[in-house]
């Protein structure tokens, strides 16, 4: 759905790029996608982001439609946490990738959601995502305007996220905050590392319980970097158990990390929405293992 904004007096004389960033709060990625799809128009005509806005002009943003035609359908039952006309939230199991990839196209969450809506015109817009072996809540927007709003909320770190995970050993101190920038590891496509030149990353945590099998932590990522929790725990000297990238791999086993809760503003009503999903590796009704 296109978005139209009439330029008011306070924004007259502003460079369009600055208005998109500061006035509308769009991310660099959102602006880039709009530019490449010729989705930025003033009074119906295409303009560059260097355009200087004038009072009374009508700015139209035309978000590109994401094609879901190349997502193979798969008949996997969905564990639905929440659903309304704008949002679908599901509890993704460990071992299921969110999107199709070169080595894994047939069994994905995207395919399961598309199968769930196979009798409707539906575009898969996941506004949150998890690693293949991280279980928990994934939020899917049902329309483009809601996708834009939710993506901005995640990018601006205004979504409250709660995870639980089991580490190889206790963390010291048992409660605290890991503040360490994260960057892609040189020579690797997927692996990240703590590096001074990286992007800011902060993870708060608290110990729930320590047993012989490991230590259960509750984790609150305050930023949203790739592999953030896994990288930070390894940096702190207590990687997740069985983490094949950042800890000690054990054949046939996978790390235990779960997105247990998300709290954010509903894109249509503005009301705070609190979603929860129990971790499959914890005992029913208890935060122990």
């Amino acid at each position: 759905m296109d978005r139209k904004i009439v330029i008011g007096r306070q924004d007259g004389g502003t460079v369009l790029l600055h208005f998109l960033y500061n006035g509308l709060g769009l991310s660099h990625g959102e602006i880039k996608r709009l530019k490449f799809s010729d989705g930025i128009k003033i009074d119906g005509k295409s303009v560059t982001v260097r355009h200087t806005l004038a009072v009374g002009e009508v700015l139209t943003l035309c978000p590109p439609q994401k094609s879901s035609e190349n997502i193979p359908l798969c008949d996997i039952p969905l564990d639905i946490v929440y659903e309304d006309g704008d949002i679908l939230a599901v509890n993704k199991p460990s071992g299921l990738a969110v999107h199709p990839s070169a080595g894994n196209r047939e069994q994905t969450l995207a395919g399961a959601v598309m199968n769930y809506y196979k009798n409707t015109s539906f575009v898969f817009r996941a506004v949150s995502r998890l690693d293949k072996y991280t279980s928990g809540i994934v939020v899917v927007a049902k329309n483009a305007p809601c996708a834009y709003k939710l993506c901005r909320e995640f990018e601006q770190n205004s979504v409250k996220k709660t995870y639980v995970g089991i580490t190889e050993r206790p963390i010291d101190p048992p409660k605290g905050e890991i503040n360490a920038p994260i960057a892609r590891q040189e020579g690797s496509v997927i692996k990240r590392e703590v590096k001074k030149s990286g992007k800011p990353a902060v993870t708060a945590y608290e110990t729930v319980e320590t047993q012989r099998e490991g230590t259960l932590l509750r984790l609150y990522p305050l930023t949203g970097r790739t592999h953030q929790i896994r990288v930070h725990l390894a940096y702190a000297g207590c990687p997740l158990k069985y983490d094949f990238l950042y800890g000690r791999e054990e054949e046939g086993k996978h790390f235990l990390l779960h997105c247990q809760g998300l709290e954010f503003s509903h894109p249509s009503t503005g009301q705070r929405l609190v979603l929860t999903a129990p971790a499959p590796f914890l005992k029913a009704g208890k935060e122990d293992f």
Side-chain angles (χ1 to χ4, degrees):
M1 182 182 296
D2 294 350
R3 183 180 181 186
K4 295 182 182 295
I5 302 105
V6 178
I7 303 304
R9 182 175 299 175
Q10 70 276 13
D11 296 311
T14 303
V15 175
L16 177 56
L17 178 61
H18 295 160
F19 178 73
L20 295 174
Y21 271 128
N22 303 319
L24 300 183
L26 297 185
S27 69
H28 174 75
E30 288 171 335
I31 295 172
K32 187 176 180 180
R33 287 191 289 273
L34 285 167
K35 287 169 58 181
F36 286 167
S37 64
D38 192 29
I40 304 174
K41 301 181 186 298
I42 292 289
D43 294 336
K45 297 180 180 179
S46 299
V47 296
T48 71
V49 293
R50 296 186 298 276
H51 174 81
T52 299
L53 298 172
V55 177
E57 287 182 330
V58 177
L59 168 64
T60 303
L61 302 179
C62 313
Q65 291 295 312
K66 297 179 181 179
S67 174
S68 296
E69 296 178 357
N70 61 346
I71 299 178
L73 303 187
C74 57
D75 190 11
I76 299 174
L78 295 177
D79 180 2
I80 297 176
V81 176
Y82 177 87
E83 184 177 14
D84 63 18
D86 295 312
I87 296 171
L88 171 72
V90 298
N91 185 14
K92 184 188 81 69
S94 173
L96 185 67
V98 173
H99 293 94
S101 61
N104 180 21
R105 293 195 52 79
E106 304 303 321
Q107 299 288 305
T108 65
L109 181 65
V113 171
M114 292 302 297
N115 185 66
Y116 180 68
Y117 292 115
K118 62 184 175 183
N119 295 321
T120 67
S121 177
F122 189 82
V123 177
F124 183 73
R125 301 179 178 91
V127 297
S128 67
R129 59 184 303 171
L130 300 174
D131 296 338
K132 180 177 180 179
Y133 293 108
T134 301
S135 57
I137 304 172
V138 174
V139 178
V140 178
K142 292 187 175 183
N143 54 69
C146 287
Y148 267 100
K149 291 181 181 179
L150 287 170
C151 283
R152 283 205 302 275
E153 249 197 288
F154 276 92
E155 290 172 354
Q156 293 169 357
N157 301 317
S158 58
V159 177
K160 183 179 179 181
K161 297 169 279 189
T162 303
Y163 286 68
V164 288
I166 297 177
T167 60
E168 291 182 355
R169 60 184 66 88
I171 190 169
D172 185 27
K175 181 178 181 179
E177 189 175 279
I178 304 169
N179 188 336
I182 292 175
R184 187 189 304 272
Q185 188 176 95
E186 188 174 351
S188 176
V189 174
I190 188 171
K191 197 171 183 179
R192 267 60 176 177
E193 64 180 349
V194 169
K195 197 172 184 179
K196 287 183 179 180
S197 60
K199 295 181 180 180
V202 183
T203 304
Y205 66 89
E206 56 186 350
T207 300
V208 177
E209 184 180 2
T210 296
Q211 295 186 7
R212 185 169 57 184
E213 294 85 357
T215 295
L216 175 65
L217 298 180
R218 195 178 295 116
L219 303 131
Y220 309 96
L222 306 182
T223 51
R225 307 302 173 206
T226 300
H227 297 177
Q228 177 175 313
I229 290 175
R230 297 167 64 189
V231 172
H232 273 173
L233 289 177
Y235 175 72
C238 53
L240 292 169
K241 287 190 71 175
Y242 316 126
D243 192 333
F244 58 92
L245 274 181
Y246 304 104
R248 292 185 295 178
E249 183 177 7
E250 187 167 326
E251 188 175 354
K253 295 187 177 181
H254 303 288
F255 59 83
L256 301 178
L257 181 64
H258 177 80
C259 180
Q260 186 181 58
L262 291 177
E263 181 179 339
F264 54 90
S265 297
H266 192 283
S268 293
T269 67
Q271 295 182 335
R272 292 297 284 180
L273 190 61
V274 180
L275 307 179
T276 59
F281 50 83
L282 300 183
K283 294 179 183 178
K286 296 183 180 181
E287 283 203 330
D288 59 9
F289 53 104

